Amino acid sequence: MTSAIFLAMLCLGMALPSPAPDPILDVEWQKWKIKYGKAYSLEEEGQKRAVWEDNMKKIKLHNGENGLGKHGFTMEMNAFGDMTLEEFRKVMIEIPVPTVKKGKSVQKRLSVNLPKFINWKKRGYVTPVQTQGRCNSCWAFSVTGAIEGQMFRKTGQLIPLSVQNLVDCSRPQGNWGCYLGNTYLALHYVMENGGLESEATYPYEEKDGSCRYSPENSTANITGFEFVPKNEDALMNAVASIGPISVAIDARHASFLFYKRDSWASHCLMDFIFQHGYTMGQ
Ligand SMILES: *[C@@H]1O[C@H](CO)[C@@H](O)[C@H](O)[C@H]1NC(C)=O
Ligand SMILES: *[C@@H]1O[C@H](CO)[C@@H](O)[C@H](O)[C@H]1NC(C)=O
């Protein structure tokens, strides 16, 4: 094939409208649209359907390969099915995470002789699992979990701390309540606020509310927090010698878009993605 013909075909391809939908997927498409409350204009429908079909194919291919032992995780269709990866990335609002200050890292103080295995739950550092429900509060759960562990380390008391306190009150630091937030800003709130209530006095509500923090009911306090350097050895060191550590994962990767489950990943993260989809649909 000469390059001239190839170019002509390329141009033709680009000028073509969305490919004809695969009739085998008609029922599934209708069901998916109902499930996620999608309604498109006539012009949109063809293009959205094409993207959705493309995503369906990728998910099926991925899961087929995964069945053969590749990848290590499964995917499934979700509310983002009509989005390209570029569109998905655009809707994921970015809260800037300040860059790590050099010189202040936990790395230097860590012990050399690490245990092969450690279970902080068995050692009493971890409160029972809770459900975040229809609120993107995983960042807040992450922070209460980390503080609960360190409080136990210091005082020997394990007290569930208030996630709702963080959801409602860390907006001035830059968090967005049940919509989105990050651990750094939430930790800043606890420091600047000079306290955090317990779950008992400020219980979880799964929704945004006005800030009702009262210093009289404050249960926890932090004097500071530090970053773990971005590598797995540092994380292993920190987890082994400090206690439960707050982590975050960049969920904007293609592999996360339709992620379903695997053996190791944080469900907080997945809830984050799915709940995000739910919030966007509002
Ligand atoms: C937390 O620390 C701040 C600053 O040191 C202090 O003003 C506040 O009283 C403390 N709160 C509690 C509950 O210990
Ligand atoms: C402390 O918490 C309790 C239980 O939620 C509440 O009844 C009380 O009003 C709170 N105290 C203050 C000073 O807000």
Side-chain angles (χ1 to χ4, degrees), residues 200-201 214 216-217:
T201 61
S214 68
E216 291 92 336
N217 276 341

Side-chain angles (χ1 to χ4, degrees), residues 191 194-196 213 215 218-223:
M191 267 185 76
L196 183 68
Y213 171 81
S218 173
T219 304
N221 221 348
I222 59 172
T223 52

